[in-house]
Amino acid sequence: MFRGHVARETYVRMVQDSGELDKSVSGVMAQLFDVDGTRSSAAPEEFFRLMQEDFEATRDMLEARKVEGGFLFLGSHLAMSSDGASARLDSAWKAYARSMGAANADKDLKRAKAAQRLSAFYDSAREMSKKLTRWSQDRAGERKYYVSTDGGTGISEAANRGAKDYKGGKALSFVLSPEKAKGSVPRGSSFMKQNSYLSKDMVFPLSSMYARQYWLQNLAVGVVIFPGCEMVSMRLLFDIIAHVAKGEDARKIPVVLFGSRYWKQTIDVNMMSRFGVLSKEDQDLVRVTDSVEETVKLLTAGL
């Protein structure tokens, strides 16, 4: 079985525990889906049935495809390639000049500037994904490791794209299915957007954000997170760090914070260690770097 496998009983218990404080339907859903403020109208029995179906279908698909584990990529959904970001910024400046600084144009310009700042990380994520895919494809053994994403835009797109850059390369994509997620995530939500570099036979449709987080986290044998990530990705990052710090996961997976200038002002790993949140041993698993090559070595070490 693939690394990161957690028994179905544990999975169901995790779901049930999340509603322990409030047994009402709205209470359960509020605690599971408070990330974007949405709610599900499904009855508890229906909800748990969908979660169990998600688990069994995804587990069987992963096993059939001989997946050993995933390199999880997290980061901003606003990131674009350097060429795309430059073109967008140029267009935004022209629109701003024509509108004489109107509010909407100003907002678009700020987003374009943010995309420009993040473009270097998009390019790094793409290169890194290609190198990890090459490493997995070239190693001996039938079972393989894959780059793993939520199938969305930005850094997820870069990771999916980088995997495809290598001959026959593919990435795992855990996406929210419009049909399955009906009622829990509003149609048109940014959480539902998918990039155009998905490999169809490696797409895993899920019914909820909780199920997606479960698979992304528990399949991971290594995590790399880029600047500009949204709160959902940050929560997932801290969930992973918490598992490492508490010793709850026998797999001591490496966590790489890519982009030192950003992360040293955002997360002080040394301070976390001084306050006892991370042991010295666990602190070594959370690394900050600007090097694609170093990240690939950190993620693949010991596999």
Side-chain angles (χ1 to χ4, degrees):
M1 191 56 169
F2 53 84
R3 293 196 184 197
H5 168 63
V6 178
R8 180 175 65 185
E9 291 74 17
T10 303
Y11 177 72
V12 173
R13 189 180 72 248
M14 289 167 66
V15 178
Q16 292 172 334
D17 287 349
S18 67
E20 197 63 35
L21 298 177
D22 186 343
K23 295 296 183 182
S24 69
V25 176
S26 61
V28 172
M29 298 307 160
Q31 292 175 59
L32 287 181
F33 297 109
D34 60 352
V35 176
D36 63 346
T38 60
R39 300 290 182 268
S40 172
S41 58
E45 295 79 10
E46 174 70 3
F47 175 75
F48 292 127
R49 182 186 66 77
L50 288 172
M51 294 291 278
Q52 182 171 329
E53 287 181 359
D54 267 356
F55 178 89
E56 293 176 346
T58 305
R59 176 200 60 194
D60 293 346
M61 286 175 67
L62 289 166
E63 186 62 25
R65 287 154 179 74
K66 303 186 185 306
V67 175
E68 185 69 11
F71 300 112
L72 176 56
F73 278 56
L74 299 173
S76 174
H77 285 159
L78 297 176
M80 303 173 68
S81 66
S82 296
D83 291 343
S86 295
R88 180 179 178 182
L89 183 59
D90 183 59
S91 176
W93 270 118
K94 290 177 180 177
Y96 182 81
R98 287 195 302 268
S99 68
M100 303 297 290
N104 286 343
D106 183 59
K107 183 177 179 180
D108 289 342
L109 180 59
K110 288 179 180 178
R111 283 180 170 271
K113 288 180 178 179
Q116 179 73 25
R117 287 193 294 271
L118 292 167
S119 62
F121 300 113
Y122 179 105
D123 296 339
S124 294
R126 181 179 175 183
E127 178 188 358
M128 190 185 301
S129 177
K130 181 179 179 179
K131 289 179 181 295
L132 287 167
T133 301
R134 179 191 292 122
W135 171 87
S136 180
Q137 295 285 74
D138 292 350
R139 71 190 294 271
E142 190 177 16
R143 303 183 70 87
K144 299 296 182 183
Y145 295 93
Y146 293 86
V147 165
S148 176
T149 79
D150 64 7
T153 57
I155 293 300
S156 295
E157 176 186 288
N160 281 103
R161 187 176 181 181
K164 280 199 165 186
D165 284 342
Y166 188 68
K167 54 183 179 181
K170 300 176 181 180
L172 308 176
S173 301
F174 296 88
V175 305
L176 290 177
S177 164
E179 294 75 25
K180 289 185 175 184
K182 195 179 300 181
S184 66
V185 180
R187 186 173 294 277
S189 165
S190 61
F191 295 111
M192 302 289 282
K193 292 181 180 178
Q194 297 177 15
N195 68 67
S196 57
Y197 297 94
L198 305 185
S199 299
K200 291 184 178 180
D201 60 332
M202 288 295 187
V203 173
F204 302 86
L206 299 167
S207 63
S208 69
M209 290 176 61
Y210 186 83
R212 181 164 71 178
Q213 177 173 336
Y214 168 84
W215 282 111
L216 288 172
Q217 178 174 330
N218 285 284
L219 192 65
V221 294
V223 182
V224 55
I225 181 165
F226 293 81
C229 59
E230 290 79 8
M231 293 306 295
V232 178
S233 296
M234 290 296 288
R235 188 172 77 168
L236 180 54
L237 169 65
F238 279 105
D239 279 348
I240 292 169
I241 291 177
H243 276 281
V244 171
K246 292 178 182 178
E248 295 177 355
D249 198 331
R251 302 168 300 121
K252 290 290 188 177
I253 63 174
V255 177
V256 179
L257 305 178
F258 192 89
S260 60
R261 183 180 177 188
Y262 177 87
W263 289 113
K264 286 181 178 179
Q265 298 180 66
T266 307
I267 298 177
D268 192 334
V269 177
N270 292 324
M271 183 64 74
M272 292 174 72
S273 179
R274 285 200 292 273
F275 272 80
V277 179
L278 285 178
S279 67
K280 180 63 175 71
E281 177 187 3
D282 292 332
Q283 183 183 352
D284 291 338
L285 293 171
V286 182
R287 303 288 289 274
V288 181
T289 183
D290 298 297
S291 168
V292 169
E293 292 292 346
E294 182 183 4
T295 301
V296 171
K297 289 179 181 178
L298 289 169
L299 294 180
T300 58
L303 296 179

